[in-house]
Amino acid sequence: MPTLNQHDHTNQKSTSWTSDAVEALLSQMTLLEKIAQMTQVEKNSVLPGDVAHFGLGSVLSGGGGNPDPNTPATWRAMVEGFQQEALRSRLGIPLLYGSDGVHGHSNVVGATIFPHNIGLGCTRDPDLLRRIARVTALECVATGVRWDFAPAVSIPRDIRWGRTFEGYSQDSSVVCELAEAFVEGLKGEGWNSATAVLPSVKHFIADGATRWGSSMRVNALQLEVDQTLANAQTDQGLAALMEKGAWQLDQGASTLEEEVLRREDLAGYIAAIRAGALNVMVSYSSWQGIRMHQHRYLLTDVLKGELGFQGFLVSDWEGVQQISSDFYSSVVASINAGMDMVMVPFDYKAFIAALFEAVSRGDVALERIDDAVRRILHVKEALGLFQNPLTDGTLLGQVGCPEHRTVAQEAVRKSQVLLKNDGVLPLERGTRMLVAGKAAHDIGMQCGGWTISWMGQAGPITSGTTILEGIRATAEDPSLIVYHPNGNVDADAGQFEVGLVVIAEEPYAEGMGDRADLSLNPEHLALLEQVRAKCAKMIVLIVSGRPLVLPEALEGWDALVASWLPGTEGAGIADVLYGIYPFSGKLSFHWPRSMADLPLSPSSQALFDLGFGLSLERNA
Ligand code: GLC
């Protein structure tokens, strides 16, 4: 029977934890220690010493939960600090540190940032997803992080949703194939290998099936926080964003038929569990009138019962608090429904006290607590955390390394979808071209949400190559490429053979990105007009987290490319524009013809169907 203190790294005891070890540990834990293992706190809210004092099970970085300064080394020091504290708790149970590596280790400045899932869905390349996940795992582990809140296996049915880009596809079979590959990539050689990272398959379930206007983000405190974030990260306040539709869909209500939910939404979880996934994050949304965070039928009877899921469930950020205004009863309802760990993430003492009281009063059975803690400890055992709670610091040099960025550039070019080409593509390297649109030369805009900060933001927020830089590096002579964000170059610049316009969405995350209107805005249309008048041929790139509603005839557009949110390696776009690599991307979402089509129904006549994508032959 292994001794409890497995943390003497000098001898690297090869003790392998078995369920006997978990049972032995469980039998020594007080009720408070058990509840502490079920508690996840965000890193700015845990008082120094409390990880050790309570024996907290997990600490996380929410979107933008970064050390200051934000570097791989400071990340590692932060995460290791929490882990060292956990090892000083009475039983020395290592903690799990979690972060949203949803398109690379995307909170960390200097990390390799991949295209968001909507672009990866267009690659239809599971091997690539496996390699992306492996790179993500290496960059997470380098900073001490062993839990990645990804992949999302959402089926975004209404693309007005601000989380559309977090979904691989509206086709469940594409989601299954890519999610399975991503989980395998995070696992690597095995969960207990030193560079394995625990995925969190999310958000269970039917998070992308909510109805417009049904969002239940009614928590005044959360909206206050959103206001602060909106003011800090965008040039418009929360009221302006809500005018545009923010928080109308996300965290809303779904009435999807159970047969459809099982066929389409549950499939991604089955695929991920088949690949060995040991954690699922629960959705804020509700199904058939019951919030997922207290949905006993789906959390316990279906996921844990029918599917035999052996891992643990984690709530979403303040997801338990959204159940009702009475915190105590919300905690009771969620834990009894099958929640195993609660992403509180702020007032952990109130949560611990509430759950302790609930067990003491018999409102939550001790067996339920033991089941939750057993699941959490098994996952920590499976990850080898008891033997190796600290990760290998020599990996730090790999964060954002050229080899990793090469994988990301491959992902960028494979995610590009050619929707129209009247022959202007592929470009000759000697082509003189006007490039317009601020997103042509803006790392923050090409990365989108969940990058360095929660919502992401325009500007040089991290290292990488912009779309323009990639084009200039590929052109015969950089001086052939004239850039102006608004396209209004001087008349003496004369006419251009080709104009390239980058039309982009401002970065957003979650419900902040819900939009009532996905049509091009007046600035977009003015930019297109400006450039059209100055060039013989015009190429349009759409840098967005979802299909946008375009002028139907695409009048005067000689080529159209869906570039999605490519991440830090913008050069991948030049690779296909100049024909160095072929266009191979195929739409993984239906592209609506008009706003009237949304949410798209099977009968809607899309402008471009899911599966469409040209190679380089001219289209009819
Ligand atoms: C957020 C998101 C979830 C994320 C979590 C931690 O609210 O819903 O996807 O993993 O909180 O940042």
Side-chain angles (χ1 to χ4, degrees):
M1 214 287 283
T3 57
L4 285 174
N5 181 1
Q6 297 294 308
H7 317 306
D8 167 6
H9 300 302
T10 50
N11 66 12
Q12 289 289 334
K13 281 198 187 79
S14 60
T15 316
S16 65
W17 278 68
T18 64
S19 53
D20 299 349
V22 165
E23 293 310 317
L25 186 52
L26 196 63
S27 67
Q28 297 177 66
M29 295 171 77
T30 65
L31 175 58
L32 271 177
E33 288 168 330
K34 292 176 180 177
I35 293 171
Q37 280 298 305
M38 300 167 68
T39 308
Q40 182 179 57
V41 190
E42 73 90 17
K43 65 108 181 167
N44 292 321
S45 300
V46 60
L47 296 177
D50 269 2
V51 167
H53 173 69
F54 288 98
L56 295 175
S58 175
V59 176
L60 84 145
S61 283
N66 307 323
D68 183 13
N70 180 351
T71 70
T74 57
W75 260 85
R76 179 174 184 77
M78 170 181 76
V79 175
E80 272 210 340
F82 285 117
Q83 189 64 292
Q84 294 290 8
E85 253 208 66
L87 301 179
R88 289 197 298 273
S89 62
R90 184 179 79 89
L91 292 172
I93 300 173
L95 65 72
L96 260 171
Y97 196 98
S99 184
D100 291 280
V102 295
H103 61 143
H105 193 5
S106 45
N107 272 321
V108 181
V109 170
T112 307
I113 306 293
F114 295 93
H116 269 295
N117 285 353
I118 191 167
L120 299 181
C122 298
T123 70
R124 305 295 203 281
D125 186 341
D127 172 64
L128 173 64
L129 267 288
R130 216 167 274 113
R131 289 182 286 128
I132 289 173
R134 193 76 308 261
V135 166
T136 303
L138 289 172
E139 300 198 5
C140 283
V141 169
T143 62
V145 172
R146 294 289 307 275
W147 188 6
D148 180 6
F149 301 134
V153 293
S154 321
I155 309 279
R157 289 173 178 84
D158 186 336
I159 62 170
R160 291 175 292 181
W161 189 33
R163 306 200 76 162
T164 296
F165 65 79
E166 296 184 62
Y168 290 116
S169 178
Q170 289 175 319
D171 177 339
S172 176
S173 64
V174 174
V175 173
C176 291
E177 186 180 42
L178 300 186
E180 188 165 3
F182 190 85
V183 168
E184 288 166 352
L186 286 185
K187 180 168 61 175
E189 291 152 30
W191 291 126
N192 64 354
S193 66
T195 62
V197 168
L198 176 70
S200 189
V201 193
K202 67 185 188 180
H203 308 80
F204 192 84
I205 189 169
D207 54 345
T210 57
R211 287 190 326 279
W212 185 266
S214 67
S215 176
M216 300 164 288
R217 176 100 169 174
V218 292
N219 178 319
L221 173 70
Q222 284 177 325
L223 288 175
E224 214 176 279
V225 169
D226 293 343
Q227 171 82 38
T228 311
L229 285 169
N231 292 336
Q233 293 194 254
T234 68
D235 52 6
Q236 46 201 329
L238 182 60
L241 288 172
M242 293 184 83
E243 267 295 298
K244 291 181 178 178
W247 301 114
Q248 285 298 313
L249 255 180
D250 193 30
Q251 306 184 14
S254 166
T255 53
L256 198 65
E257 301 76 26
E258 180 163 355
E259 187 265 333
V260 176
L261 181 142
R262 284 176 172 270
R263 186 180 67 242
E264 296 184 5
D265 299 73
L266 195 59
Y269 293 90
I270 294 171
I273 292 168
R274 184 170 53 231
L278 291 170
N279 176 252
V280 164
M281 186 182 294
V282 178
S283 177
Y284 287 113
S285 55
S286 72
W287 183 66
Q288 306 300 17
I290 302 172
R291 282 195 187 251
M292 284 310 307
H293 274 64
Q294 61 173 341
H295 212 297
R296 182 187 173 81
Y297 169 63
L298 289 173
L299 299 184
T300 296
D301 301 347
V302 174
L303 183 56
K304 293 181 176 179
E306 268 182 60
L307 301 191
F309 178 60
Q310 297 296 309
F312 71 91
L313 302 185
V314 66
S315 81
D316 205 334
W317 183 282
E318 288 190 295
V320 169
Q321 288 87 322
Q322 283 195 1
I323 291 173
S324 78
S325 55
D326 177 318
F327 183 59
Y328 177 84
S329 60
S330 298
V331 168
V332 168
S334 192
I335 300 299
N336 284 340
M339 196 68 71
D340 299 308
M341 183 182 281
V342 172
M343 187 188 295
V344 183
F346 304 115
D347 191 347
Y348 52 101
K349 292 176 185 172
F351 167 70
I352 291 169
L355 188 48
F356 186 86
E357 182 189 348
V359 176
S360 310
R361 286 167 52 174
D363 291 336
V364 172
L366 183 58
E367 291 69 33
R368 176 70 273 274
I369 299 295
D370 285 348
D371 170 55
V373 178
R374 194 172 278 121
R375 288 170 178 269
I376 293 165
L377 293 180
H378 267 304
V379 173
K380 291 183 174 182
E381 171 193 57
L383 286 168
L385 278 181
F386 290 101
Q387 286 84 356
N388 299 298
L390 300 173
T391 65
D392 176 2
T394 61
L395 291 171
L396 267 180
Q398 290 194 26
V399 178
C401 67
E403 296 74 16
H404 290 179
R405 292 178 188 271
T406 298
V407 178
Q409 185 165 336
E410 174 189 350
V412 173
R413 57 176 176 258
K414 288 183 173 178
S415 63
Q416 302 303 296
V417 184
L418 181 59
L419 297 172
K420 179 179 180 181
N421 180 27
D422 284 354
V424 64
L425 293 175
L427 290 168
E428 297 296 330
R429 291 184 179 215
T431 303
R432 182 170 177 267
M433 181 157 70
L434 168 62
V435 174
K438 65 178 181 175
H441 195 39
D442 188 311
I443 285 280
M445 290 189 78
Q446 69 189 48
C447 286
W450 294 105
T451 312
I452 314 306
S453 65
W454 177 49
M455 292 172 67
Q457 62 191 109
I461 60 172
T462 187
S463 52
T465 308
T466 65
I467 296 167
L468 174 70
E469 288 165 343
I471 289 172
R472 280 189 166 145
T474 310
E476 214 164 66
D477 181 328
S479 65
L480 289 168
I481 311 299
V482 176
Y483 168 64
H484 195 290
N486 304 325
N488 50 7
V489 289
D490 303 337
D492 59 10
Q495 282 297 91
F496 290 84
E497 288 172 68
V498 178
L500 183 137
V501 186
V502 179
I503 298 293
E505 284 193 293
E506 293 293 330
Y508 52 79
E510 301 190 49
M512 292 290 222
D514 292 351
R515 289 288 179 276
D517 186 359
L518 299 178
S519 313
L520 299 193
N521 62 39
E523 293 77 27
H524 293 146
L525 297 173
L527 182 64
L528 288 159
E529 202 177 319
Q530 178 89 271
V531 173
R532 179 68 270 185
K534 293 184 168 66
C535 60
K537 294 271 187 180
M538 184 168 79
I539 303 164
V540 179
L541 297 190
I542 307 284
V543 170
S544 64
R546 52 199 154 192
L548 300 180
V549 171
L550 307 174
E552 192 162 332
L554 305 180
E555 196 60 43
W557 299 18
D558 299 288
L560 170 62
V561 179
S563 292
W564 313 115
L565 296 170
T568 50
E569 307 314 308
I573 294 176
D575 286 346
V576 287
L577 292 178
Y578 284 90
I580 300 166
Y581 289 87
F583 278 95
S584 58
K586 303 296 177 197
L587 287 181
S588 60
F589 282 70
H590 296 284
W591 196 292
R593 192 174 289 277
S594 74
M595 284 310 296
D597 294 339
L598 294 179
L600 274 178
S601 66
S603 61
S604 307
Q605 179 60 42
L607 182 62
F608 302 108
D609 280 324
L610 189 152
F612 180 77
L614 298 172
S615 52
L616 264 182
E617 81 274 357
R618 295 165 186 265
N619 64 346

